[in-house]
Structures are given as C-alpha cells and as structure tokens.
Amino acid sequence: MKPIPILLLAAGRSRRMGRADKLMQEIDGMPLLRRTALRALKVAPVIVAVPPAPHPRHDALAGLPVDIVEVPDADEGMNASLRRAVSALPDETPAAMVLLADLPDLTSDDLTLVLGAIDFSTKNLIWRGATASGHPGHPVVFHRALFPALLELTGDTGAQSVVQAHHERLVLIPLPGAHARTDLDTPEAWANWRAKRQ
C-alpha cells in the first residue's frame, strides 16, 4: 500500500498576530514551521502548502525533503490551501493526514499514533486526534473517498463540514494532554505557551 502523506497547511496570513508571522516564530532556535515539518517528516512524506515565493516561509523549509505547493489564492482562507494540497497528492493515495502548522505541542509520536489507528477494513473514513479528555482536535486523516468533498470546499472553515457529514464514520484517537488543540494564533497565546515551557 502507498504511504499516507501529511498535508501541512501553512499558507494562512496569521492575521491575529498583528505584524508578526506566527509560523516564523522561533522555538528551540528554529521557526515553528520548520519544527513542525521536521516532526512530520519523521513519520511520512510531507506536502506543504505555502504562500507563493518569495516568502520567508520558503526559507524556513529550505533543505527539507518536502513537496512545496504554492497557494496564490491563500487570502480566500484555509480551504484554498487544503484544495491545493489534496490536488497535489499522488494517484491512488489511500488517505491523507491534514496537519495545521501552528500546533506546537504535537509530536512525531502523536502523528504516528493517529496513523497507527487507521484500519481500512472498517467502515471508518476519518481518524482524528483528540485531547486526553476526548475533545476533537488535530491532526485529521481523511480516507481517499472523501478527497472529492475536500476539493469542493471554499472559504476559511476548514474541513468541518466534511467531518460533520461523516461523523458516524469517525474515530477519535486521544493524544497526551491538550496536544491536539493547543494552537498559537495570537501574541497572548504565544506568551502564555512560552511561559509554561520555562
């Protein structure tokens, strides 16, 4: 069976960060985007959706064996990135993991755990990371049967409508703590997260 690639969505404009780019914020000496990509690469092939070059996010990924997909219509919202990334999948890809780039607590082990839960012999179509207490989060793996629905999405809602339409065929995989839901969208969120790490 062909591997299940990771679609790393990193073309958003991080509007809530003011003038700063959340994906270029440094953690442990490297931009968050590069750190997330490295964690994903330990697990599976990675396709990264980014704004068109020239853009600092391209520099953050320099030298990494990822497939770059440019998203010229990124201003539309997250689904522009999702459509472009899904369109770049190799033929006969059995499923794909959608991973947001601003989830700093997700580890390679977390991604491996979600991928390991996939069982194509069942009726399930979606495998989704959750908090330890069971709240749905990220990453989310979609069976190839849902790729056409993902390609029809528009706007900035993500794939929530697809998930909701197939909720009875979804499996939640609990991950440690709040790894699945800790995202850093604002300067305040970054400050709080960094304070907890000290």
Side-chain angles (χ1 to χ4, degrees):
M1 179 180 293
K2 292 196 174 185
I4 295 174
I6 296 175
L7 307 181
L8 183 57
L9 304 187
R13 296 189 54 189
S14 63
R15 293 179 178 89
R16 297 171 63 194
M17 284 290 290
R19 294 175 180 265
D21 183 343
K22 64 182 176 183
L23 300 187
M24 295 300 291
Q25 297 295 301
E26 288 209 350
I27 301 174
D28 302 329
M30 73 176 69
L32 171 59
L33 175 55
R34 187 177 186 87
R35 181 175 179 265
T36 304
L38 284 168
R39 291 183 171 191
L41 281 166
K42 290 181 179 179
V43 178
V46 178
I47 296 171
V48 189
V50 290
H55 194 285
R57 292 181 192 171
H58 287 258
D59 299 332
L61 297 167
L64 297 185
V66 298
D67 289 329
I68 300 290
V69 175
E70 295 191 348
V71 186
D73 49 350
D75 283 352
E76 174 193 322
M78 185 187 303
N79 289 332
S81 299
L82 189 54
R83 290 195 309 271
R84 299 263 177 188
V86 172
S87 295
L89 288 169
D91 291 341
E92 306 307 318
T93 298
M97 172 181 281
V98 176
L99 175 63
L100 305 184
D102 63 348
L103 297 157
D105 289 340
L106 281 176
T107 67
S108 298
D109 287 345
D110 295 334
L111 305 184
T112 299
L113 192 62
V114 174
L115 288 176
I118 296 170
D119 184 350
F120 290 120
S121 70
T122 69
K123 65 179 181 64
N124 297 316
L125 294 174
I126 303 171
W127 296 264
R128 184 174 190 177
T131 64
S133 58
H135 291 92
H138 296 275
V140 185
V141 177
F142 294 92
H143 189 284
R144 65 173 288 107
L146 298 180
F147 291 173
L150 296 177
L151 289 169
E152 292 179 359
L153 294 172
T154 58
D156 196 37
T157 57
Q160 284 301 323
S161 61
V162 177
V163 171
Q164 290 165 5
H166 300 278
H167 66 90
E168 78 286 354
R169 302 180 74 176
L170 177 149
V171 177
L172 290 179
I173 300 99
L175 302 176
H179 288 194
R181 288 175 67 100
T182 300
D183 61 351
L184 302 180
D185 284 335
T186 66
E188 294 76 19
W190 272 96
N192 291 336
W193 185 81
R194 285 185 164 126
K196 292 176 182 176
R197 291 188 88 211
Q198 295 177 357

